[in-house]
């Protein structure tokens, strides 16, 4: 029974760590802020709007990019390939 409880604790810890700021890599290269050299980021997404799609009210057809926001200085880096948490 204690193995089960320990497993639940480890699972809860892993879930907690999967949210919030983290370290990332893209194309097997660790992402580091070029401004302050921090390596911990919040992630998000941003839509890459085009004038034609916006004019026709078809913004949902545009691609999205993943953004990483430095937790130290706030610099935003954009990525077309989704960064992987490490």
């Amino acid at each position: 029974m204690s193995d089960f409880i320990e497993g639940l604790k480890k699972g809860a810890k892993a879930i907690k760590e999967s949210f919030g700021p983290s370290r990332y890599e893209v194309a097997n290269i660790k992402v580091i802020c070029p401004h302050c050299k921090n390596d911990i980021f919040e992630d998000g997404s941003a839509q890459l709007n085009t004038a034609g799609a916006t004019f026709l009210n078809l913004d949902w057809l545009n691609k999205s990019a993943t953004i990483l926001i430095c937790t130290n200085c706030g610099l935003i880096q954009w990525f077309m390939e989704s960064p992987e948490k490490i």
Side-chain angles (χ1 to χ4, degrees), residues 9-73:
K9 287 180 183 178
K10 287 180 182 179
K13 183 180 177 185
I15 290 171
K16 181 181 174 186
E17 290 174 354
S18 70
F19 294 103
S22 189
R23 291 176 173 86
Y24 292 87
E25 68 177 26
V26 176
N28 297 320
I29 300 171
K30 185 176 178 181
V31 179
I32 297 174
C33 179
H35 181 72
C36 70
K37 308 303 182 214
N38 183 36
D39 67 346
I40 301 175
F41 299 87
E42 290 277 352
D43 69 331
S45 63
Q47 193 164 6
L48 304 173
N49 291 343
T50 60
T54 300
F55 179 75
L56 298 172
N57 201 23
L58 298 172
D59 286 326
W60 57 273
L61 287 174
N62 290 319
K63 292 181 179 181
S64 292
T66 300
I67 59 171
L68 295 180
I69 306 155
C70 177
T71 57
N72 186 50
C73 71

